[in-house]
Amino acid sequence: MALLDRIRGPNPLVTVLTLIGRGTLRLLGNFGAMAIFFSIAFINIFRRKQLQEIVNQVFYIGATSSLIVMLVGLFTGMVLGLQLFYTLVKFGSVGALGSAVSLSLVRELGPVLTAIMITARAGSGMAAEIGILRISEQVDALYAMRVDPVQYLISPRIAASIISFPLLTAFFDLIGIIGGYLTGVLLLGTNGGTYFYRVHSSLNMVDVRGGFIKALVFAAIVSCVCCFQGYFCHMRTGGYGAKSVSLATTSAVVLSCVMILIADYVLTSFFM
Amino acid sequence: MEIPLIEFRNITKRFGDKTVLEKVNLKIYENQITTIIGKSGTGKSVLLKHIIGLLTPDEGAIFFRGKPVAAMKKSEWEEYRSRVAYLFQNNALFDSMTVFNNVAFPLRRTTNLSKKEIDGRVLKRIQDLELTEAVDKYPSELSGGMQKRVALARALVSDPKIVLFDEPTTGQDPIRKNMILSMIVHYRRKFGFTAIMISHDIPDVFFISDRIVILWEGSVGFEGTYEEAARLKLPMIDEFLRGLEGFQDELTGLLSREAFKVSYAAMLGGSAGIPTASAALFSVEFDLLQESLGPQAAVEVLRALGEYANRRFKPVGGFSARHSRDQILTIFPHTSPDKVRQMVADFARELNQEALARIQSIAQAKMGAQARPEIYIRAGVTQVSSTDEIDQIIEKAQAKQEIVATHQGDSGGRA
C-alpha cells in the first residue's frame, strides 16, 4: 500500500490543503509576532529619554509628509467637487455638494488616503532605515551598549505615527474641503455660502471622531507593519543583505496598504 | 584555584542544519588578554556574541564568576552587561550620527551623567584615539582605519570591565594595526579590563596576549599561552600558525619568527662543525615610548628600528626578526662577536644621525615643537653556539644589553 502511494504520488487535494494550512499558520504566527512586537514597543513609549527621539520622528513622519499630504488632499477635494457636482446636478441637488464632499473626506477618503500617502513616503523609509540598521549590525550594537533596540528604534516611531496621522488627516480633510470649494464654487458656480453651510450642518462630531479613530488605527498598523518588516528583515528567506532590505520595504508598503483597506472596511462597518 | 571570569561549558550552537560550535569548553581569566584565532567560519564571532547575550547557546552553559548566566536575575544580568563592551568587526557605527555623537551615544542613553561630564569624557577618548579632526564628521566621510578607531573609542568610553574585540585591526595598515593592539594593551593596563579578542595579526597578538585559543572546526583545538602552543608542537597548530604568519613581519619588514627559525636551522645545518656566529639583541622601551609619545609614534620608532636593522645587516648576511613586541634579534653567520660589536656601534651612529631625528620629528608633529622625548636603544652582543636554542640566545644577549644610542630632548642623539 505504501509502495502504491509512493508510485501514485501525493494526493493533490492533500497537497493543496497542506499548503493552505501551512500558509495560514505562518500568517497567524506573523500576526501574533506583530501584535507582541507592537505591544512591547507601545509600552516602551513611556520610558525615560524618549521625548527627543519622538520629536525627531514626528518631524520625519509628520512635518516632512505634510506638504505631500496637503497636495493630495487638495486634488482629491477638487476631483470630488467636480465628480459630485456632475452627479448631484442630475438630481437637482447641487446644494448638497458641501455635505457630500465633507462627509466623503472626513469619514473615508481623508484617513485612508493620508495613511496610504504616509505609508508610501515615511513607512517605506522606516522599513528601509531599520532594515539597514539591522543588516549593518547597528541593531546588535545598540543591544551591546545596553540600549533596547525596540525602545530606541520602534517606540518613538509608533508614538510619532500616533501623533502625526490624526493631525495630517485633519490637514487633508481641511484642504480637501477647500479643494471642493475651488472646483464646485469658483469653477462651476455653486453658491459659496451654501457650500460652507452644508459642510457645517452635515458634519457631526461622530463623523469627525470616526475619522480620527480610523487615523489612529492606521497609524498603529502602518508603524507596526513597517517597523516589523525592517526589524526582522534579516530573517527573511527570500534574500539576504541589501536584497532583504528591498524585500522588506516592498512588503511593508504592500502589506500596510492592504491592511489599511481591510481595517477601513471593518471600522466603517463597525461605525455604521 | 582561580575561578575563571567567564567559562564556556559544552556550548553547542546550530544555525539550521549547520553546527557552528560543538561542545566548546573555554575559560577566560580576569585582567588578561585572551585572543581567539581560527579559520574563517569556525564560529569565532558567534562565540563572542554568546558572551554578551546577542546569541544564546542551544546546549551547554556560560558561567560568569562561576554563576550560570542563564540563571541570573534581570538586575544581575543588566549589571553583568554593563561591564561588557563590544567592538564589532564592521564597526557598526551609526551612519546618521557624527563621530562625537557616536562616541557619546552609550553615555547619553545609559547613564545619568551631566552633559558637561559626557562631553568631557567623549573628548578625552577622541583625543586618546587621535580623532580630534574628525569629531564633526560622519562615519561615511572617514577612512576604514578612522572608523575602526571611532568604534574603539565608543567601546571604551563607558570604561567597561570586559571588552570584546571582533577583529579590531581588520583593514588597517601595519602601523595602525600595531597602534590599535598597543592601545588595547595600554588601556587594559590603565583601566584594568579583561580583553577577549579575535585577531589574525601574528606575531603581534602573541606579543600582547596572555592566552590564546585556537578554534578548530567548531571546537577548541588549543587553549593556553603561546609558549605552551609552541612547546606542544601539534602539527595542526603549527601548520595553522605558519599559514597565518607568512614569511615577513608586516610592521618592520624583518623575517617572521617562523622564517627566522628556518633560517637559523639552515645556518646550523649548513655549517661544518661549530659555526662561528654571533647575535645582537636590540630593544626599545616600548611602554615608556607609548607613555611619552603616544601609541602611533611608539610603533613608528619600532618600525624605524626594524627598517634600519634590516637595511644595515641584511647586506652583510645577517637575518633579523622581532621576538617580542619591542625586541629585535639579529643573527650574523660566520661573524665574530667583536666584529658584530663594531657593526652595532656603526649602526648606533646611523640611528643617531638619521632615525632618531626622524623620531624627534614624529614626536614634534604629535606633541608640538616643544616635545623632547627620551629614547633609549639597547643592544647586547653574544656568541652563538651550535646547540643554542633561539630562546637561549635571547637570554644570553639580554644579559649583555646596554644602551647604545640615546636621544634626550634637544641634546640630540648620542652613540
Side-chain angles (χ1 to χ4, degrees):
Chain A
M1 189 66 190
L3 182 68
L4 201 64
D5 280 347
R6 267 216 301 273
I7 293 165
R8 275 188 192 146
N11 185 333
L13 186 65
V14 172
T15 310
V16 170
L17 284 174
T18 308
L19 287 174
I20 292 170
R22 236 180 243 155
T24 310
L25 282 175
R26 197 168 50 231
L27 197 68
L28 287 175
N30 277 340
F31 279 127
M34 244 186 256
I36 295 167
F37 180 76
F38 179 78
S39 310
I40 294 169
F42 188 80
I43 291 164
N44 278 311
I45 290 172
F46 306 101
R47 303 248 185 219
R48 54 198 274 274
K49 297 191 176 181
Q50 289 286 60
L51 190 62
Q52 183 60 49
E53 273 309 304
I54 292 173
V55 170
N56 291 344
Q57 290 303 324
V58 167
F59 177 76
Y60 174 66
I61 297 168
T64 59
S65 302
S66 56
L67 197 66
I68 185 77
V69 165
M70 286 196 277
L71 194 70
V72 173
L74 180 71
F75 282 98
T76 306
M78 287 168 75
V79 169
L80 270 180
L82 282 175
Q83 291 286 6
L84 289 171
F85 179 85
Y86 286 111
T87 310
L88 291 171
V89 87
K90 288 178 184 170
F91 302 100
S93 322
V94 176
L97 183 68
S99 304
V101 169
S102 58
L103 282 173
S104 309
L105 283 169
V106 172
R107 290 173 65 106
E108 204 57 54
L109 291 174
V112 172
L113 288 181
T114 304
I116 288 175
M117 286 318 297
I118 301 176
T119 304
R121 203 205 154 275
S124 57
M126 274 190 238
E129 188 181 345
I130 296 171
I132 289 167
L133 293 176
R134 167 62 78 184
I135 62 163
S136 59
E137 289 187 311
Q138 292 175 55
V139 173
D140 287 348
L142 284 172
Y143 179 84
M145 285 185 266
R146 284 194 307 133
V147 177
D148 182 349
V150 172
Q151 185 182 327
Y152 179 69
L153 295 173
I154 314 301
S155 303
R157 283 171 169 82
I158 287 176
S161 298
I162 288 170
I163 294 166
S164 305
F165 272 60
L167 287 173
L168 288 173
T169 302
F171 277 128
F172 186 100
D173 294 347
L174 188 68
I175 300 287
I177 290 169
I178 293 169
Y181 175 83
L182 291 177
T183 48
V185 177
L186 298 183
L187 196 68
L188 300 167
T190 314
N191 185 283
T194 311
Y195 180 84
F196 279 116
Y197 171 74
R198 287 293 189 157
V199 170
H200 183 255
S201 62
S202 56
L203 271 181
N204 295 323
M205 199 55 209
V206 178
D207 303 316
V208 177
R209 196 165 52 225
F212 281 143
I213 289 171
K214 279 185 180 178
L216 287 173
V217 173
F218 297 158
I221 289 172
V222 171
S223 57
C224 176
V225 169
C226 294
C227 292
F228 184 86
Q229 293 295 329
Y231 196 79
F232 294 105
C233 73
H234 64 303
M235 292 167 87
R236 298 188 78 90
T237 48
Y240 300 96
K243 179 87 178 160
S244 71
V245 177
S246 144
L247 290 172
T249 310
T250 309
S251 303
V253 173
V254 172
L255 198 60
S256 294
C257 291
V258 170
M259 284 182 71
I260 285 167
L261 295 174
I262 293 171
D264 184 45
Y265 174 76
V266 173
L267 288 170
T268 305
S269 57
F270 189 69
F271 290 131
M272 295 283 265
Chain B
M1 196 176 147
E2 191 186 352
I3 297 176
L5 183 68
I6 296 167
E7 186 179 0
F8 280 53
R9 282 191 207 158
N10 294 317
I11 294 293
T12 298
K13 182 69 185 175
R14 298 182 195 92
F15 293 106
D17 297 335
K18 194 182 176 201
T19 304
V20 180
L21 298 176
E22 190 162 22
K23 299 214 175 294
V24 167
N25 288 293
L26 173 67
K27 287 174 183 159
I28 287 152
Y29 292 95
E30 199 161 7
N31 287 329
Q32 289 193 347
I33 297 179
T34 305
T35 301
I36 301 165
I37 306 169
K39 286 182 190 168
S40 298
T42 48
K44 302 184 294 294
S45 297
V46 170
L47 192 123
L48 227 52
K49 283 177 181 172
H50 275 85
I51 296 174
I52 202 159
L54 274 168
L55 292 171
T56 47
D58 294 330
E59 287 166 30
I62 299 167
F63 293 79
F64 175 67
R65 292 191 199 284
K67 186 168 185 174
V69 165
M72 279 181 178
K73 288 182 207 155
K74 198 176 177 227
S75 58
E76 288 175 319
W77 172 240
E78 284 301 316
E79 166 68 16
Y80 162 73
R81 277 185 57 206
S82 70
R83 295 158 182 257
V84 187
Y86 195 120
L87 180 77
F88 284 82
Q89 194 172 350
N90 61 1
N91 307 323
L93 294 172
F94 301 121
D95 310 326
S96 55
M97 291 183 196
T98 61
V99 165
F100 186 91
N101 288 335
N102 259 287
V103 179
F105 184 81
L107 296 180
R108 285 180 184 157
R109 292 296 301 192
T110 61
T111 68
N112 291 320
L113 295 173
S114 67
K115 187 181 179 301
K116 196 178 162 191
E117 279 176 289
I118 291 174
D119 290 356
R121 280 171 71 167
V122 171
L123 284 174
K124 174 82 179 68
R125 279 290 172 280
I126 283 174
Q127 278 165 6
D128 286 345
L129 285 132
E130 300 174 35
L131 289 164
T132 315
E133 77 272 27
V135 77
D136 290 324
K137 289 186 176 166
Y138 287 89
S140 58
E141 297 175 294
L142 305 177
S143 67
M146 284 181 105
Q147 286 184 19
K148 187 65 82 181
R149 280 184 283 149
V150 176
L152 189 58
R154 190 177 68 178
L156 296 177
V157 76
S158 51
D159 295 338
K161 297 291 167 216
I162 303 166
V163 187
L164 313 176
F165 298 94
D166 194 348
E167 303 201 19
T169 55
T170 308
Q172 306 288 320
D173 60 65
I175 289 189
R176 293 265 183 233
K177 272 183 188 176
N178 273 270
M179 190 189 123
I180 289 171
L181 294 176
S182 301
M183 272 187 320
I184 291 171
V185 177
H186 176 71
Y187 282 120
R188 189 186 69 85
R189 279 200 201 124
K190 194 169 171 185
F191 302 118
F193 61 75
T194 305
I196 305 162
M197 181 165 58
I198 296 172
S199 179
H200 296 128
D201 294 318
I202 292 175
D204 298 279
V205 288
F206 292 148
F207 299 151
I208 65 163
S209 302
D210 299 298
R211 287 164 68 78
I212 56 169
V213 174
I214 299 177
L215 269 191
W216 194 262
E217 289 168 3
S219 299
V220 173
F222 172 80
E223 186 187 355
T225 62
Y226 173 68
E227 288 71 27
E228 286 167 355
R231 258 201 312 275
L232 274 173
K233 290 192 189 306
L234 293 173
M236 171 271 283
I237 294 173
D238 269 1
E239 188 191 323
F240 176 64
L241 295 182
R242 237 194 328 270
L244 278 180
E245 192 169 4
F247 185 74
Q248 210 173 35
D249 179 359
E250 223 182 4
L251 178 71
T252 57
L254 302 173
L255 292 178
S256 69
R257 289 205 294 186
E258 283 299 325
F260 183 89
K261 271 186 206 167
V262 172
S263 298
Y264 181 60
M267 183 196 85
L268 294 179
S271 307
I274 300 167
T276 311
S278 302
L281 182 73
F282 300 94
S283 62
V284 286
E285 286 170 4
F286 190 84
D287 292 334
L288 202 72
L289 278 177
Q290 187 167 282
E291 283 291 329
S292 59
L293 299 179
Q296 187 180 347
V299 173
E300 290 272 14
V301 170
L302 200 60
R303 184 188 181 120
L305 183 65
E307 271 177 16
Y308 279 92
N310 215 18
R311 204 170 68 191
R312 185 87 192 181
F313 303 132
K314 206 175 170 186
V316 295
F319 52 93
S320 316
R322 266 195 304 156
H323 282 270
S324 73
R325 199 155 49 126
D326 49 11
Q327 284 188 325
I328 293 171
L329 179 67
T330 305
I331 301 244
F332 300 87
H334 314 295
T335 313
S336 68
D338 287 340
K339 185 87 194 294
V340 170
R341 266 184 216 105
Q342 185 55 48
M343 281 196 274
V344 168
D346 294 343
F347 174 61
R349 264 193 295 280
E350 187 183 353
L351 278 180
N352 281 323
Q353 282 158 11
E354 293 180 36
L356 294 182
R358 185 175 134 191
I359 289 158
Q360 173 83 0
S361 67
I362 292 167
Q364 283 176 344
K366 184 180 153 33
M367 300 160 68
Q370 301 306 312
R372 297 284 179 265
E374 291 187 4
I375 303 161
Y376 299 97
I377 293 171
R378 296 168 195 276
V381 177
T382 185
Q383 184 149 23
V384 176
S385 76
S386 58
T387 53
D388 281 346
E389 293 283 335
I390 292 170
D391 288 345
Q392 289 172 307
I393 300 170
I394 292 172
E395 226 168 84
K396 285 198 296 184
Q398 211 162 12
K400 293 177 182 173
Q401 265 192 335
E402 54 188 45
I403 294 170
V404 292
T406 176
H407 187 89
Q408 290 171 306
D410 50 5
S411 62
R414 213 168 56 236

